[in-house]
Amino acid sequence: MMKVLHIESGRHLYGGAKQVLHIMEGLSRRGVDNLLACPRGAEIAAPARQHGEVVEMRMAGDADAGLALRVLRLVAQHRPDIVHVHSRRGADLWGGIGARLARVPVVLSRRVDNREPRWLAGIKYPLYDHVIAISEGIRAVLIEAGLRPAQLSCVRSAVDASPFLREYDKAAYRAAHGLAADTPMVGMVAQLIRRKGHRHLIGALNTVLAALPRLQVQIFGRGPLEAEIRQWIEAHGLTNNVHLMGFVDDLPARLGCLDVVVHPADMEGLGVSLLQAAAAGVPLLACRSGGIPEVVRHEHNGLLVDAGDVSALSAGLIRLLGDAGLRERLGRAGRELMVREFSIEAMCEGNLAVYRQLLTPDGLALPVSLPA
């Protein structure tokens, strides 16, 4: 039986950590033995125990060099066949060093599309036998940073579409918020951090409200910019139209009640919230950033605008909110796309193909055949 040590340093159960859960579940069903290392008190710990053993340990970020020794000890104790580092926050450096010291094959998943200095890439990526990019956009960034194409595979992130494949009662959802049944509603689902582009959405809304004064916007998520975003909302006079909803547990029950999901990110690896919204049948409006165009196909399941183009964002919202037929067509196409190309099964098979390649004698000389 193959045994995989997964390292996930995130404390909250956001998109990346949920991908780790999906991978662990799929690998477990395929007979793989999972071990997860995560921070003490991390939200992933409890659900991950359904799919493998969990070790909660100290993970203190980029300066936590001691993580390398803790990973080394963990590998010596549990003897995994593969170490798979899934996140940054120091894990992508110190976790790689620990696995390399333990002389066990080690894989890194790269989930963000920000560019790194070549000197840093030259230190970090040689630690890894293979790097998995979650989008072709990220793969291109890594090649630009100097990684060899043979060291890279693209295995796209996925979502469990089943919770979103339901009928939604939009009128009831609006009534629960004290709104008329025909109130236009837009949503954004993202951590409250700068690269997600909340400021672009807020900057676009005064123009949109001039055309659609009853518009309501719900922003889901939490993060360090919450106070600043509240100030932006107040400064633009939007307190009656824009609402910070926080982190909600019942997102699948809410998402399909929105008319449009907008994601104006400056940088984005792929965009799990976009996958979820598409599965819920909601048309998308997003920026041409990172891997987003792999999810949002312009004029097929949504609209794309250039990153930071507030005028185009306003125009896109006005167009979508003013055309119910267009929204219905884009939403239907998005749901079909998620089921066809972004399944959890394809993601799990893709990761497993990389593991098998590394465990095959001379495997690095062989091509990796991954699901589309």
Side-chain angles (χ1 to χ4, degrees):
M1 176 186 290
M2 183 190 301
K3 186 172 188 176
V4 180
L5 166 59
H6 305 273
I7 301 177
E8 167 56 50
S9 62
R11 298 185 178 277
H12 301 294
L13 198 53
Y14 293 145
K18 286 183 178 178
Q19 297 302 302
V20 178
L21 274 182
H22 291 323
I23 292 169
M24 289 180 66
E25 179 184 8
L27 293 176
S28 179
R29 284 190 275 105
R30 289 163 171 78
V32 175
D33 188 8
N34 292 302
L35 171 67
L36 171 69
C38 64
R40 296 188 184 102
E43 294 173 359
I44 191 176
R49 288 190 173 94
Q50 301 176 44
H51 314 299
E53 185 177 353
V54 176
V55 175
E56 298 181 53
M57 63 168 59
R58 183 173 182 268
M59 293 186 183
D62 292 334
D64 183 16
L67 179 60
L69 293 177
R70 293 191 288 277
V71 169
L72 175 61
R73 288 195 295 266
L74 194 63
V75 171
Q77 179 181 353
H78 292 271
R79 298 188 179 279
D81 299 294
I82 294 276
V83 174
H84 189 161
V85 179
H86 291 272
S87 57
R88 297 186 299 167
R89 302 181 183 87
D92 57 344
L93 177 60
W94 305 117
I97 290 174
R100 182 58 65 202
L101 290 172
R103 298 184 179 180
V104 61
V106 56
V107 177
L108 173 68
S109 280
R110 175 71 187 264
R111 300 189 176 279
V112 294
D113 66 331
N114 62 294
R115 286 163 172 76
E116 297 173 305
R118 275 185 170 262
W119 66 265
L120 178 58
I123 292 172
K124 181 165 60 175
Y125 294 110
L127 297 169
Y128 292 93
D129 296 290
H130 209 78
V131 179
I132 297 174
I134 66 162
S135 70
E136 289 293 345
I138 293 175
R139 185 176 184 275
V141 167
L142 290 171
I143 290 175
E144 183 183 316
L147 273 73
R148 295 174 293 107
Q151 191 188 0
L152 282 165
S153 297
C154 174
V155 182
R156 287 174 174 157
S157 290
V159 295
D160 179 5
S162 57
F164 302 93
L165 302 178
R166 61 170 78 187
E167 294 297 323
Y168 287 93
D169 189 338
K170 294 186 175 184
Y173 185 74
R174 283 155 178 74
H177 289 86
L179 302 171
D182 62 347
T183 303
M185 294 192 77
V186 168
M188 180 174 174
V189 185
Q191 294 183 62
L192 306 184
I193 56 178
R194 187 164 298 276
R195 67 182 176 88
K196 298 296 184 179
H198 295 84
R199 65 194 182 282
H200 304 316
L201 173 59
I202 292 169
L205 286 177
N206 282 324
T207 298
V208 180
L209 285 166
L212 298 160
R214 295 190 300 126
L215 174 66
Q216 294 290 299
V217 179
Q218 295 186 337
I219 296 176
F220 298 92
R222 60 189 178 194
L225 282 191
E226 180 173 347
E228 188 171 348
I229 291 172
R230 287 190 187 278
Q231 292 174 359
W232 295 342
I233 292 169
E234 293 174 2
H236 283 77
L238 298 172
T239 53
N240 292 326
N241 300 91
V242 182
H243 310 280
L244 296 184
M245 309 299 290
F247 184 84
V248 298
D249 293 324
D250 61 343
L251 187 63
R254 297 171 180 251
L255 205 51
C257 295
L258 302 170
D259 294 311
V260 178
V261 165
V262 61
H263 197 70
D266 296 312
M267 296 187 296
E268 187 62 83
L270 191 65
V272 170
S273 66
L274 291 171
L275 301 178
Q276 294 171 328
V282 183
L284 309 171
L285 175 61
C287 292
R288 295 183 180 90
S289 302
I292 287 178
E294 297 170 48
V295 181
V296 184
R297 316 284 170 85
H298 187 60
E299 299 286 356
H300 177 70
N301 66 325
L303 302 179
L304 288 170
V305 301
D306 291 337
D309 190 337
V310 173
S311 296
L313 201 62
S314 300
L317 278 172
I318 291 171
R319 180 185 172 196
L320 288 171
L321 293 170
D323 191 338
L326 175 63
R327 295 199 305 274
E328 196 279 332
R329 176 176 66 80
L330 297 178
R332 182 174 63 250
R335 180 171 277 183
E336 293 170 355
L337 179 65
M338 290 308 104
V339 173
R340 184 174 68 248
E341 294 190 23
F342 292 89
S343 72
I344 289 175
E345 294 305 305
M347 179 177 67
C348 291
E349 285 295 330
N351 281 274
L352 190 56
V354 172
Y355 302 161
R356 286 171 174 159
Q357 172 183 299
L358 294 179
L359 296 176
T360 300
D362 300 319
L364 289 177
L366 300 175
V368 183
S369 178
L370 302 179

